[in-house]
Amino acid sequence: PAARGKLDDAARRMAPGQRFIRGVFCGGTFCYEAQLIGQAAGIRAWSNTPVAGNPVLDDIRISREHTMVDMGDDAFTQGRPHPMIDPSLRNERIERDAADAATAVLLVDVVLGYGSAADPTSRLTEVLGHARSSARNASRHLAVIAHVCGTDADPQNRKNTIARLQGAGALVASSNAEAAAWAAHLGTRLAAY
């Protein structure tokens, strides 16, 4: 209920042209799940790894309308580390999507554990803070919805990771499914305006 109020407030603060969810995922399963939850809410998302009924991105580097991208897909990882280890490509994608005046919601995941970056949020929080500030300067409001997959026992510590994301202005959901549902709620609200 408290999150719904924040989401509804965010929807009211969007500029007229802001309509689209841009999901940028390290986890392919999270991208898949977010697409299914979006579909259940009537949101059709372009993707490099689409679920049945969603269209394939012509150019995986460019988002269009609602987009859910699996940055861990082979197309992005050939010859370079997975975004869980080196999130630089993921962060660049978030910057580009945030700069698009049609973007209303950034939906991101952060995956913790021994196979992930030692500090997966250090650059991400900078990117998110800059994106939200740039949007404000352009009279837009950018909603950031995140999910952290991990535990407090992971080397990166889930509680600290959540606190850093919240400090950057993100709404942090308890699961990827909840984050996707929040994004879908915003997406359907904006389509109604």
Side-chain angles (χ1 to χ4, degrees), residues 32-131:
Y32 191 88
E33 180 180 48
Q35 289 181 69
L36 291 174
I37 290 168
Q39 277 186 340
I43 293 173
R44 178 178 172 248
W46 294 81
S47 182
N48 60 321
T49 57
V51 297
N54 278 355
V56 179
L57 279 170
D58 301 326
D59 183 343
I60 62 170
R61 296 165 299 158
I62 300 170
S63 294
R64 55 187 294 189
E65 299 171 350
H66 296 297
T67 300
M68 305 278 179
V69 179
D70 172 11
M71 297 299 296
D73 184 60
D74 289 349
F76 291 109
T77 58
Q78 286 187 353
R80 62 177 305 123
H82 190 279
M84 286 169 46
I85 300 165
D86 176 7
S88 57
L89 274 184
R90 188 264 321 257
N91 292 340
E92 289 170 19
R93 178 61 173 257
I94 290 169
E95 287 178 321
R96 279 196 315 275
D97 281 343
D100 182 345
T103 300
V105 182
L106 289 174
L107 176 60
V108 299
D109 64 344
V110 176
V111 182
L112 309 181
Y114 289 99
S116 294
D119 185 359
T121 58
S122 62
R123 177 79 176 104
L124 177 60
T125 54
E126 290 175 31
V127 167
L128 295 176
H130 180 263

